[in-house]
Amino acid sequence: MTKKQPEQQILHDNKKIIPFLSIIIPGSSQIIFKKPWRGFSIFIFLLISGYLVYWGFEKFEISKVQLNENNFIPWLILPLFLFYAWNIFDAFQISKNKKSPAIIAILSVMVILYTIGWSVTGVKLERLVTRFTDAKSVMNKLVNPDFFSTTINGKIEICSWGCLWDYSVAKINGSETTEVFLSSNVGQIFGQKGTVTASSWAVLFGKATKNQRIPGFETGKIIETIAIGLLATLFSTVLAVPVSFLAAHNIMKRIPGGSVVYYIVRTFLNIVRAIDTVVWGLIIIVWVGLGSFAGVIALTIHSIAALGKLFSEEIEHIDAGPVEAIEATGGNFYQIIRYAVIPQVIPSFLSYTLLRWDINMRSATVIGFVAGGGIGFFVLETIRMGGYQQYAAALWAIAVVIILVDYISSKWRFNILKDQPKFVEKKSTWKKVRNIIYVILAIIVFLYCWEITKIDLSKLFDPGPTFGRLLKDFISIDLTGKVIDNVLRELIITTMQAFLATTLGGILAIPFSFLAAKNLTGKSKFSSWIFYLVRSLFNILRSIEALLYVAIFVYWVGIGPFAGMLALAITTFALMGKLFSEAIENIDSGPIEAVSATGANKLQAIVYSVVPQIVPPFLSYLIYQWDINIRMATIIGFAGGGGIGLMLSTFFGSLQYHKAGTVIVAIVIIIAVMDFSSAKIREKFI
Amino acid sequence: MLKIENLCKTYPNGTQALNGVSFEVEEGEFLAVIGLSGSGKSTLLRCINRLIEPTSGKIIWNDLDITAATGKEIRFIRRQIGMIFQQFNLVKRSSVSTNVLSGRLGYVPTIPSLFHVFSKDDHERVKKTLDMVGLADKIDVRADSLSGGQQQRVGIARALMQEPKMILADEPVASLDPVLAHSILKYLEKLNKDYGMTVICSLHFLDLVHRYATRAIALNEGRLVFEGLPKEIDDAQFKHIYGKEAERIEII
Ligand SMILES: Nc1ncnc2c1ncn2[C@@H]1O[C@H](COP(=O)(O)OP(=O)(O)OP(=O)(O)O)[C@@H](O)[C@H]1O
Ligand SMILES: [Mg+2]
């Protein structure tokens, strides 16, 4: 206490002078006035927006206006200056213990970010209209997927809904009609008879020789995708468990040198996690070659890091009481883990595994874009050949699978987390038999997945020819000015894509989310129809990864960052719509009643009783989505969506590994910075 | 005999929880530890079995220097000292039998124990101790389906599995209602009287101290401010222990 008093005295004496400091260093007097967070934000945001204005003007002549004959300036200097002036005003207000409207600062930063973001992501709204005919034709193809075919004039043609209808009518009426059959496309997606490479079992039992092509059942691409997701989840869970103990502080501090291990493992997990699964795919194919196996490895690596982090946090949050009790009985380190830690974490581990299974299934649908296995590869092929109706069929198949997985996973998680104490009854014989059947089934499924994803562990020890070079080049990454310049440009574009997509998708989701909230839609037949319609729209849109949407927008608005941004906005719209509507359903109904009781109409009730309750959850979901989008934006370029992903795939494609290394380091840094700042913002506001 | 000499504990954040505490406990005593919240009772008890590292001072138990023990020796000492906790500290999702069995961990070899393999003897012992605390029928249920009083009895059973020579109880009844408090303390009294176990027990209510303890010590801000028979705690002593503002309230 005694130490603080002179300091306070100084603060008091100089109350009139301190605000002037913010003229020289923005934010500094706010920091001196004990508002470090405010001051720091002002400083950082002013620095960033200042740099962006300069950068945008230099590189893209953004917001260029003519001052006089040969002087040009960006008009964005105006909001920048407004922000700066506000900072000084704010400092004086604080010295007088008054508040200043932060909205000015927020608006000026928004103007700068939007103007720059708009230009660098190449937003061309008019294209949404002028090229609407293209959009219409692609939409037409999307709603008429290639599932059935028929023969018209001796040629095989796709038979979509209208043709199917005619066919069914004709069948029912018993009149003559040409036959309708499943398209070959369906065979490729779900599986068909054909020639396959002899399985290792056939080789084992002497029925075939290695690599021999024999008649058999070709695995469907969607089945392959499911197998990739399942195996990756299994492998990553098994591997993440030991890793998570190394990354849990309360465990590691018990053993000598453990804290060092803890910090190393944590950092390592964060780096691995910052690199998206698809980017891992690029690295892994250099190691083991193209195919499902590469996909499994890429998913497993990313998944180990993600699960390792979640698991270790779960371990750190266990009840310390039992640990203390077991320690007091004289139990050693391993016994403490076995009897006090593991029983506590099992339900949450299981639930995270199921959550991760859901995420892995989604990743498995796109990993084929780079790794060459599963439905992603098939989608890429159809897009290349312009087969949008085949592409549509694949999307529908994906939607069905993912919606199913989502449902099963959340149902199981719900049951696990209820975790009600069961009286441990004697198991009936039937239950024992049933459990044995389950185990056998699981083993069969596992072996089948192993077989169709062509897992070949020996490949791990026999890396591809350029893998050595990749490792070497990754250590000596390219830091020459030109490369840094380009990477920085793509990084800004990528961040802006994520920023625009999050805000655009989020804003679009708000009105729809009200339509999908059961407690607001009311009980009439019409409104419950709307409810189901909007909810299904959210669920279907949400089941398709952003990367798969890019193709549609590339067709519509052309290749580039704008298409990528729109694809991100669609997934944002879907997820935010779902989460927002659930948040609305969870609000306290008391205030609605109270406001309605005053005679207010529905809209008034919403504005006065619902809105104040939903702002905090909406904001927190938006930040969550921002974390997702910044990651997705780094890969959206693989499908023609612009940004840093395009650059990365180009560098990989041309074997310029040390430049690729630079890009990856840049991605890790930007994700780390964004994660850190969103965590801070969440802490501060929500 | 347990001898505490000049025990000090300063936490890493600078809190001085124990400040030169010295006292002795004879074998077979029921010693109550009293003091305000934050006076250092839990810290003291946890120093005795080295769950907390004392900063300085000595703890001698039957000529064995607990403060000097390392690794294996500490575990050897701990298994002879049973501990009972305010929050019971059971593994909620494990069955009662697993919780009780875990009291044997200091005795059994590591590898089998990691696979939940215990000897027949140990399983028999679980039944016997659960019988003793009146929970024989609850052996297979999950710990969190029991009531608070039952959970604390499982806690006692776990401690008994250690065949302890001494029991440390850190406010064992503070989370229970008064009636259950007596039933739990009666078990401790029984262990003390019938089996001759030394009991060191921190308590909040003076009437419980009067009823069960054979001797009492009091802490105030980490210092020993009283040592003697429970009945010696009169109003003057009470003010000394709990501060001038304190009023005596009687509960049951
Ligand atoms: N792990 C710790 N780190 C820092 N300070 C601690 C820690 N544990 C306890 N303390 C502090 O040490 C002092 C003594 O705490 P202790 O828990 O021993 O008191 P107590 O008498 O058991 O109190 P209560 O009746 O509330 O259980 C308190 O001031 C407490 O805040
Ligand atoms: Mg305590």
Side-chain angles (χ1 to χ4, degrees):
Chain A
M1 266 304 164
T2 43
K3 244 173 78 184
K4 269 188 186 152
Q5 251 142 20
E7 198 185 308
Q8 232 131 39
Q9 196 60 40
I10 295 172
L11 213 61
H12 185 80
D13 291 348
N14 298 309
K15 224 170 179 176
K16 296 232 161 61
I17 310 161
I18 292 171
F20 287 98
L21 278 177
S22 275
I23 299 178
I24 307 161
I25 305 169
S28 60
S29 60
Q30 281 87 343
I31 292 177
I32 295 175
F33 281 133
K34 303 258 159 64
K35 294 196 184 247
W37 208 80
R38 194 184 186 100
F40 185 70
S41 312
I42 292 174
F43 182 73
I44 290 289
F45 271 102
L46 204 57
L47 203 68
I48 292 175
S49 15
Y51 179 77
L52 280 177
V53 171
Y54 158 80
W55 176 87
F57 183 67
E58 281 288 302
K59 306 263 162 174
F60 297 96
E61 305 194 331
I62 294 172
S63 79
K64 183 168 161 179
V65 286
Q66 190 158 22
L67 207 56
N68 53 38
E69 195 111 339
N70 37 25
N71 275 317
F72 296 91
I73 56 156
W75 60 259
L76 278 177
I77 283 184
L78 290 178
L80 194 64
F81 183 76
L82 187 64
F83 184 20
Y84 171 71
W86 173 85
N87 140 66
I88 300 165
F89 175 66
D90 183 57
F92 280 99
Q93 289 293 88
I94 291 176
S95 77
K96 291 181 212 146
N97 281 327
K98 281 194 210 150
K99 287 208 155 142
S100 62
I103 189 83
I104 297 178
I106 294 172
L107 275 183
S108 17
V109 174
M110 284 292 168
V111 167
I112 295 171
L113 289 182
Y114 270 101
T115 313
I116 305 225
W118 203 265
S119 305
V120 297
T121 53
V123 174
K124 293 190 185 70
L125 285 185
E126 75 281 356
R127 284 205 184 176
L128 289 174
V129 183
T130 55
R131 301 183 47 155
F132 196 67
T133 39
D134 293 296
K136 246 174 40 196
S137 86
V138 77
M139 287 301 164
N140 194 17
K141 287 175 178 164
L142 285 178
V143 294
N144 289 304
D146 176 11
F147 284 126
F148 294 95
S149 300
T150 185
T151 36
I152 296 171
N153 301 332
K155 270 209 309 208
I156 295 181
E157 297 274 347
I158 294 168
C159 174
S160 61
W161 309 121
C163 149
L164 270 181
W165 174 254
D166 294 343
Y167 173 73
S168 327
V169 171
K171 271 282 165 195
I172 292 165
N173 293 340
S175 52
E176 277 280 303
T177 172
T178 47
E179 274 308 305
V180 169
F181 45 89
L182 283 175
S183 306
S184 69
N185 191 41
V186 174
Q188 287 183 41
I189 295 175
F190 294 99
Q192 62 191 355
K193 279 212 190 86
T195 49
V196 294
T197 310
S199 71
S200 43
W201 309 109
V203 176
L204 201 66
F205 294 120
K207 296 247 163 62
T209 53
K210 200 167 167 40
N211 292 332
Q212 189 189 353
R213 300 286 292 177
I214 53 169
F217 193 76
E218 280 176 26
T219 317
K221 289 296 174 191
I222 195 83
I223 309 293
E224 206 174 290
T225 306
I226 294 172
I228 293 175
L230 270 179
L231 283 187
T233 309
L234 182 72
F235 294 154
S236 58
T237 306
V238 169
L239 294 170
V241 171
V243 171
S244 67
F245 280 90
L246 297 179
H249 200 231
N250 55 343
I251 302 293
M252 293 315 279
K253 72 174 188 218
R254 292 179 165 271
I255 52 181
S259 288
V260 179
V261 177
Y262 161 80
Y263 283 113
I264 294 174
V265 174
R266 263 291 163 99
T267 312
F268 190 68
L269 290 184
N270 281 336
I271 293 176
V272 173
R273 221 162 42 86
I275 302 170
D276 191 88
T277 311
V278 175
V279 179
W280 276 113
L282 279 178
I283 299 173
I284 300 303
I285 55 173
V286 183
W287 185 7
V288 301
L290 280 172
S292 304
F293 182 40
V296 173
I297 298 178
L299 261 69
T300 304
I301 289 179
H302 188 264
S303 201
I304 290 174
L307 280 179
K309 175 171 180 278
L310 293 171
F311 284 180
S312 61
E313 283 168 357
E314 209 49 54
I315 295 173
E316 287 177 351
H317 289 132
I318 59 166
D319 176 9
V323 175
E324 195 178 29
I326 302 287
E327 199 176 4
T329 67
N332 62 28
F333 177 74
Y334 304 102
Q335 291 169 329
I336 291 173
I337 289 185
R338 166 67 180 80
Y339 284 92
V341 181
I342 291 180
Q344 288 195 57
V345 296
I346 281 179
S348 45
F349 274 30
L350 277 179
S351 131
Y352 277 135
T353 300
L354 282 170
L355 182 68
R356 192 64 211 183
W357 175 53
D358 186 325
I359 297 172
N360 279 345
M361 291 302 284
R362 290 165 194 269
S363 301
T365 62
V366 294
I367 189 68
F369 267 73
V370 297
I375 194 92
F377 183 63
F378 177 79
V379 168
L380 197 65
E381 294 282 276
T382 56
I383 297 170
R384 265 194 206 130
M385 297 184 305
Y388 276 84
Q389 280 173 291
Q390 286 77 27
Y391 165 71
L395 289 196
W396 283 107
I398 291 172
V400 169
V401 168
I402 297 295
I403 287 173
L404 220 64
V405 168
D406 186 287
Y407 177 77
I408 297 172
S409 155
S410 60
K411 189 120 193 149
W412 271 357
R413 263 182 288 151
F414 181 74
N415 285 340
I416 287 171
L417 288 181
K418 264 199 309 193
D419 190 39
Q420 253 145 22
K422 289 190 288 273
F423 290 90
V424 190
E425 1 131 24
K426 285 267 173 290
K427 285 205 177 96
S428 65
T429 352
W430 156 237
K431 277 209 171 134
K432 275 185 198 154
V433 173
R434 196 188 63 181
N435 285 349
I436 293 173
I437 293 175
Y438 280 169
V439 170
I440 293 174
L441 275 180
I443 292 174
I444 292 174
V445 169
F446 172 73
L447 291 176
Y448 179 70
C449 291
W450 184 286
E451 184 61 41
I452 62 176
T453 52
K454 303 189 184 67
I455 291 199
D456 182 357
L457 296 181
S458 66
K459 273 193 195 161
L460 291 180
F461 305 99
D462 178 24
T466 55
F467 191 62
R469 221 185 88 200
L470 180 143
L471 289 183
K472 212 175 74 215
D473 288 357
F474 268 22
I475 292 166
S476 58
I477 56 170
D478 191 334
L479 293 175
T480 48
K482 194 156 165 286
V483 174
I484 298 263
D485 227 34
N486 287 337
V487 170
L488 186 68
R489 184 190 67 228
E490 294 305 318
L491 213 51
I492 293 176
I493 294 176
T494 305
T495 317
M496 287 301 174
Q497 276 182 301
F499 177 67
L500 292 187
T502 311
T503 45
L504 179 69
I507 288 169
L508 270 182
I510 291 173
F512 283 88
S513 65
F514 281 90
L515 297 178
K518 234 179 188 150
N519 52 343
L520 294 185
T521 50
K523 296 204 170 53
S524 76
K525 197 143 204 167
F526 175 70
S527 58
S528 64
W529 263 102
I530 299 232
F531 167 81
Y532 285 112
L533 206 73
V534 180
R535 269 288 162 97
S536 319
L537 180 74
F538 287 154
N539 281 331
I540 294 172
L541 288 180
R542 208 165 56 84
S543 63
I544 310 280
E545 288 289 287
L547 208 54
L548 300 173
Y549 281 122
V550 178
I552 301 172
F553 292 107
V554 165
Y555 196 96
W556 189 348
V557 299
I559 212 161
F562 183 36
M565 190 277 276
L566 289 173
L568 284 174
I570 290 285
T571 47
T572 304
F573 167 75
L575 181 57
M576 288 299 96
K578 174 178 183 274
L579 294 176
F580 284 180
S581 57
E582 283 168 1
I584 297 171
E585 285 179 356
N586 283 333
I587 60 171
D588 178 11
S589 62
I592 306 183
E593 264 171 18
V595 175
S596 307
T598 65
N601 65 27
K602 190 141 215 161
L603 199 65
Q604 288 168 324
I606 287 179
V607 170
Y608 284 97
S609 61
V610 179
V611 171
Q613 289 193 61
I614 54 175
V615 169
F618 275 29
L619 278 181
S620 105
Y621 285 138
L622 272 181
I623 295 172
Y624 167 70
Q625 181 72 51
W626 161 250
D627 282 346
I628 296 178
N629 280 354
I630 187 83
R631 288 182 156 76
M632 281 296 152
T634 62
I635 58 165
I636 206 84
F638 289 109
I644 204 150
L646 178 65
M647 191 180 210
L648 190 60
S649 67
T650 317
F651 285 153
F652 264 100
S654 54
L655 306 186
Q656 305 189 59
Y657 294 139
H658 38 260
K659 289 186 187 162
T662 319
V663 176
I664 288 181
V665 170
I667 290 177
V668 170
I669 292 174
I670 190 87
I671 299 237
V673 170
M674 291 303 163
D675 274 2
F676 176 78
S677 43
S678 61
K680 273 274 167 284
I681 291 174
R682 193 170 295 141
E683 210 170 89
K684 201 73 199 168
F685 287 113
I686 296 156
Chain B
M1 192 179 74
L2 180 74
K3 209 158 117 190
I4 313 266
E5 281 170 20
N6 216 358
L7 196 66
C8 294
K9 170 67 190 179
T10 309
Y11 282 108
N13 66 2
T15 315
Q16 195 155 25
L18 291 178
N19 199 346
V21 172
S22 308
F23 63 94
E24 286 180 13
V25 190
E26 294 296 334
E27 217 166 294
E29 270 191 300
F30 192 126
L31 180 80
V33 183
I34 57 175
L36 280 175
S37 194
S39 56
K41 304 183 295 292
S42 301
T43 308
L44 172 65
L45 291 180
R46 280 169 176 70
C47 281
I48 293 175
N49 64 358
R50 290 276 299 273
L51 285 181
I52 289 178
E53 280 307 310
T55 315
S56 67
K58 264 205 161 106
I59 303 170
I60 314 278
W61 188 34
N62 297 338
D63 301 325
L64 195 74
D65 188 353
I66 292 184
T67 31
T70 54
K72 239 186 146 94
E73 291 162 21
I74 296 184
R75 292 202 298 277
F76 184 78
I77 293 168
R78 279 180 188 153
R79 74 180 197 189
Q80 303 176 60
I81 305 177
M83 191 156 193
I84 298 165
F85 305 84
Q86 176 180 351
Q87 302 296 343
F88 325 132
N89 288 359
L90 300 183
V91 182
K92 295 202 172 60
R93 297 188 62 259
S94 295
S95 68
V96 166
S97 68
T98 306
N99 270 294
V100 177
L101 265 177
S102 67
R104 289 307 287 171
L105 289 175
Y107 289 89
V108 297
T110 306
I111 302 288
S113 77
L114 293 185
F115 296 94
H116 205 278
V117 175
F118 289 89
S119 69
K120 225 183 172 136
D121 257 15
D122 289 340
H123 284 288
E124 281 304 312
R125 209 188 292 264
V126 170
K127 285 199 189 117
K128 263 202 328 239
T129 28
L130 279 177
D131 221 16
M132 193 177 144
V133 296
L135 289 174
D137 55 329
K138 300 289 187 194
I139 186 162
D140 279 330
V141 306
R142 245 170 72 160
D144 52 359
S145 60
L146 298 181
S147 70
Q150 290 173 326
Q151 290 196 27
Q152 191 58 298
R153 271 140 71 193
V154 175
I156 293 177
R158 176 174 60 193
L160 289 183
M161 289 294 282
Q162 296 172 229
E163 302 173 85
K165 298 198 176 70
M166 176 160 76
I167 289 195
L168 305 174
D170 187 13
E171 297 185 24
V173 295
S175 308
L176 302 174
D177 64 48
V179 181
L180 284 173
H182 280 290
S183 91
I184 293 296
L185 284 173
K186 272 183 191 141
Y187 280 113
L188 290 185
E189 188 179 37
K190 183 172 162 193
L191 298 176
N192 176 249
K193 291 225 168 99
D194 300 358
Y195 298 82
M197 293 180 198
T198 311
V199 175
I200 304 180
C201 176
S202 66
L203 286 171
H204 255 329
F205 293 119
L206 271 184
D207 57 313
L208 293 179
V209 177
H210 286 144
R211 167 82 173 69
Y212 295 99
T214 58
R215 218 156 60 81
I217 60 169
L219 295 176
N220 190 337
E221 293 190 355
R223 288 175 199 280
L224 195 75
V225 291
F226 172 83
E227 185 174 8
L229 297 177
K231 62 170 190 265
E232 287 168 13
I233 310 175
D234 53 16
D235 280 356
Q237 280 294 350
F238 185 83
K239 288 230 157 75
H240 185 48
I241 297 167
Y242 287 108
K244 293 217 163 32
E245 306 297 306
E247 282 279 349
R248 254 181 119 142
I249 42 161
E250 291 295 336
I251 293 191
I252 300 205

